[in-house]
């Protein structure tokens, strides 16, 4: 009975989203409907609407959630402050000489910027247009340039800091710091595999090799990028050493971004800083409202015992945690085609975490895997926000970008499979620090 009601609620949520009801309201209305369906008539008479508001407010009342607007703000300030250009040139000094040089530069620059922004869209907005133009100018196909840019942008939510991991940590009740540290090796692994794919395609198509920089040029590039490069070191190093919590790290990162952009480089003024703060407030409000409604949705699911019933049903399929993990990941990959990543995290985290916990799977490991899995969905039609944004900003036909994107989606799925097979790649750093 519980699973039938749950499926009805999922169908209701999908219908509301198709009707263009804002995601937060769709989740909240579905939760209210589930509660009213589940309670008996006598209980319903004593039901007070104020209890819904109290639960939603409680879902947003979390110190950890302060990290979301702060990381968003830091990434936006870095974008507006011209930091991306310095990072791009520094990445060129490291790997530009390889075959398919600017493709490799694209990946490395995204890896570096990931340590500042925490969001795939922020990475794409900051580095994307610059990277695509640079690759086109030296002879790379536009759709291929978009594919490299998009696939490397999703490293952002894997390498710390990560906004989706903050959301997962709140819903799953696990350490944000451990999730951040768990994303370091997977982020590097994704970068290396993407560079392998870039190299293979570049050799096949004869894409150009970048020029060899002199030692002096490399030093100049390093000096120009030194202050931005310190940002991920300060954020990750502070969490790693225990000097500050992830939320405090977000505050430090935001202040550091203001310092280097407003004072260090003088590349952003007070008026622009105010506009960035306004944009951040709007974006953050949407995310946190969705998370608050998801908190009420989670409470209703727990009341209906959906996670426990689902866990029992899944365990009946197999008692092997690896088999169950593969089934769940195939399910998430399919979900990623149709539901945006942040929405999926809000909907499915309260359902799946009790399942994997019952099977003895580390929720920190599962969090990193879940985020990576759903980020791949941002590159796929019909709802891949990164895919369609890239096609729009580059003026490339969407079907061309989709065709070029598939090899990179494939290599990211390979990265996901490696992490599932070797969970120590995720848990090694959190477990030993």
């Amino acid at each position: 009975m519980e699973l039938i009601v749950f499926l009805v609620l999922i169908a209701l949520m999908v219908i509301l989203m198709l009707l263009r009801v804002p995601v937060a309201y769709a989740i909240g209305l579905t939760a209210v409907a589930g509660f009213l369906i589940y309670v008996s008539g006598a209980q319903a008479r004593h039901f007070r609407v104020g209890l819904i508001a109290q639960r939603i407010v409680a879902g947003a009342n979390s110190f950890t959630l302060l990290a979301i607007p702060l990381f968003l703000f830091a990434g936006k300030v870095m974008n507006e402050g011209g930091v991306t250009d310095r990072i791009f040139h520094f990445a060129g000094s490291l790997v530009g000489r390889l075959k398919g040089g600017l493709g490799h530069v694209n990946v490395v620059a995204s890896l570096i910027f990931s340590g500042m922004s925490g969001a795939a869209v922020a990475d794409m907005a900051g580095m994307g247009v610059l990277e695509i133009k640079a690759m086109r100018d030296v002879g790379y196909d536009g759709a291929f340039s978009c594919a490299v840019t998009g696939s490397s942008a999703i490293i952002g939510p894997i390498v710390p800091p990560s906004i989706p991991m903050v959301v997962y940590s709140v819903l799953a009740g696990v350490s944000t710091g451990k999730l951040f540290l768990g994303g370091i090796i997977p982020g590097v692994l994704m970068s290396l595999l993407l560079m392998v794919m870039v190299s293979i395609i570049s050799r096949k198509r004869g894409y150009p090799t970048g020029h060899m920089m002199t030692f002096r040029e490399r030093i100049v590039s390093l000096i120009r990028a030194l202050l931005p490069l310190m940002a991920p070191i300060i954020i990750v190093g502070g969490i790693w050493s225990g000097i500050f919590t992830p939320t405090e790290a977000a505050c430090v990162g935001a202040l550091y971004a203001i310092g280097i952009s407003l004072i260090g480089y003088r590349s952003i003024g007070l008026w622009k800083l105010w506009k960035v703060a306004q944009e951040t407030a709007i974006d953050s409000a949407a995310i946190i409202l969705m998370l608050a409604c998801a908190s009420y949705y989670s409470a209703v699911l727990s009341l209906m015992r959906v996670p426990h019933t689902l866990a029992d049903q899944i365990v009946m399929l197999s008692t092997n945690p690896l088999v169950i993990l593969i089934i769940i990941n195939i399910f998430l990959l399919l979900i990623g085609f149709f539901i945006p990543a942040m929405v999926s995290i809000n909907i499915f985290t309260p359902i799946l975490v009790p399942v994997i916990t019952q099977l003895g799977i580390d929720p920190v490991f599962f969090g990193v895997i879940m985020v990576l899995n759903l980020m791949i969905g941002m590159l796929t039609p019909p709802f891949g926000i990164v895919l369609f944004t890239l096609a729009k900003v580059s003026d490339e036909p969407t079907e061309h970008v989709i065709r070029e994107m598939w090899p990179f989606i494939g290599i990211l799925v390979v990265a996901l499979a490696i992490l599932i097979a070797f969970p120590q790649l995720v848990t090694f750093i959190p477990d030993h620090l």
Side-chain angles (χ1 to χ4, degrees):
M1 178 61 182
E2 289 85 355
L3 290 181
I4 293 175
V5 174
F6 170 64
L7 292 175
V8 170
L9 294 180
I10 290 293
L12 173 61
M13 188 183 302
V14 171
I15 291 170
L16 290 172
M17 290 180 184
L18 290 175
L19 293 174
R20 299 187 180 277
V21 175
V23 173
Y25 299 149
I27 295 174
L29 289 172
T30 302
V32 173
F35 182 82
L36 294 178
I37 290 171
Y38 187 74
V39 298
S40 65
Q43 290 172 309
R45 284 195 296 271
H46 297 288
F47 171 69
R48 290 184 298 150
V49 175
L51 295 176
I52 298 176
Q54 290 176 13
R55 180 63 196 183
I56 291 175
V57 170
N61 186 20
S62 170
F63 178 72
T64 304
L65 290 182
L66 286 173
I68 293 176
L70 291 169
F71 280 134
L72 277 175
F73 180 71
K76 287 178 179 291
V77 171
M78 291 280 190
N79 283 339
E80 295 294 340
V83 169
T84 52
D85 180 68
R86 296 169 183 267
I87 294 173
F88 186 75
H89 283 90
F90 173 69
S93 72
L94 296 178
V95 295
R97 189 68 181 88
L98 300 175
K99 187 65 176 178
L102 281 184
H104 297 296
V105 172
N106 193 325
V107 175
V108 172
S110 293
L111 176 63
I112 295 171
F113 191 72
S114 296
M116 307 173 196
S117 64
V121 176
D123 188 347
M124 183 183 61
M127 305 292 297
V129 176
L130 173 67
E131 292 167 336
I132 293 170
K133 181 180 184 304
M135 292 179 72
R136 275 175 164 173
D137 288 347
V138 296
Y140 290 83
D141 180 74
F144 172 77
S145 304
C146 289
V148 177
T149 302
S151 56
S152 64
I154 69 166
I155 299 171
I158 307 302
V159 174
S162 167
I163 291 172
M165 286 187 188
V166 172
V167 174
Y168 173 88
S169 73
V170 172
L171 292 172
V174 299
S175 166
T176 307
K178 285 190 174 184
L179 283 167
F180 280 6
L181 295 177
I184 294 174
I185 295 177
V188 174
L189 173 65
M190 291 167 61
S191 301
L192 293 174
L193 290 177
L194 288 173
M195 291 175 71
V196 168
M197 183 57 66
V198 167
S199 182
I200 292 171
I201 295 176
S202 297
R203 290 181 184 278
K204 182 179 178 180
R205 299 182 183 179
Y207 285 141
T209 301
H211 76 280
M212 176 70 78
M213 286 191 178
T214 64
F215 179 74
R216 176 182 172 80
E217 287 175 327
R218 292 184 178 184
I219 294 299
V220 170
S221 177
L222 173 61
I223 293 172
R224 290 186 72 244
L226 191 58
L227 289 179
L229 291 174
M230 290 299 294
I233 295 174
I234 292 171
I235 292 171
V236 179
I239 298 171
W240 193 328
S241 62
I243 295 176
F244 37 68
T245 66
T247 305
E248 292 165 347
C251 183
V252 171
L255 291 174
Y256 187 78
I258 293 173
I260 64 174
S261 300
L262 184 65
I263 301 172
Y265 297 141
R266 297 183 180 179
S267 53
I268 187 172
L270 290 175
W271 175 247
K272 190 63 181 179
L273 199 62
W274 171 244
K275 298 297 290 184
V276 168
Q278 289 178 315
E279 293 172 8
T280 302
I282 294 170
D283 293 344
S284 302
I287 295 172
I288 293 176
L289 178 59
M290 182 168 61
L291 184 58
C293 291
S295 175
Y296 178 62
Y297 171 82
S298 173
V300 171
L301 291 182
S302 296
L303 178 66
M304 296 167 60
R305 294 187 59 80
V306 168
H308 305 285
T309 305
L310 188 63
D312 293 339
Q313 295 295 320
I314 291 178
V315 169
M316 289 174 62
L317 297 175
S318 173
T319 55
N320 187 328
L322 180 59
V323 172
I324 299 301
L325 197 57
I326 292 172
I327 293 172
I328 290 174
N329 275 275
I330 292 173
F331 168 75
L332 290 174
L333 279 171
L334 294 175
I335 285 297
F337 280 78
F338 303 103
I339 302 179
M342 196 67 79
V343 178
S344 297
I345 292 171
N346 278 278
I347 295 173
F348 294 107
T349 297
I351 300 169
L352 295 176
V353 168
V355 176
I356 60 102
T357 303
Q358 183 171 325
L359 292 168
I361 298 172
D362 187 342
V364 172
F365 161 72
F366 181 74
V368 175
I369 294 297
M370 183 178 186
V371 170
L372 170 55
N373 194 319
L374 294 173
M375 288 303 114
I376 294 173
M378 298 180 74
L379 304 175
T380 59
F383 293 110
I385 183 172
V386 169
L387 173 70
F388 293 108
T389 304
L390 280 170
K392 182 179 179 180
V393 300
S394 65
D395 292 324
E396 286 288 330
T398 303
E399 60 272 20
H400 293 178
V401 179
I402 293 172
R403 185 178 62 246
E404 293 285 353
M405 191 70 78
W406 287 117
F408 293 96
I409 292 173
I411 204 69
L412 290 170
V413 172
V414 169
L416 178 64
I418 291 172
L419 295 173
I420 292 172
F422 302 99
Q424 298 84 358
L425 293 174
V426 176
T427 59
F428 178 79
I429 295 179
D431 286 350
H432 288 80
L433 293 175

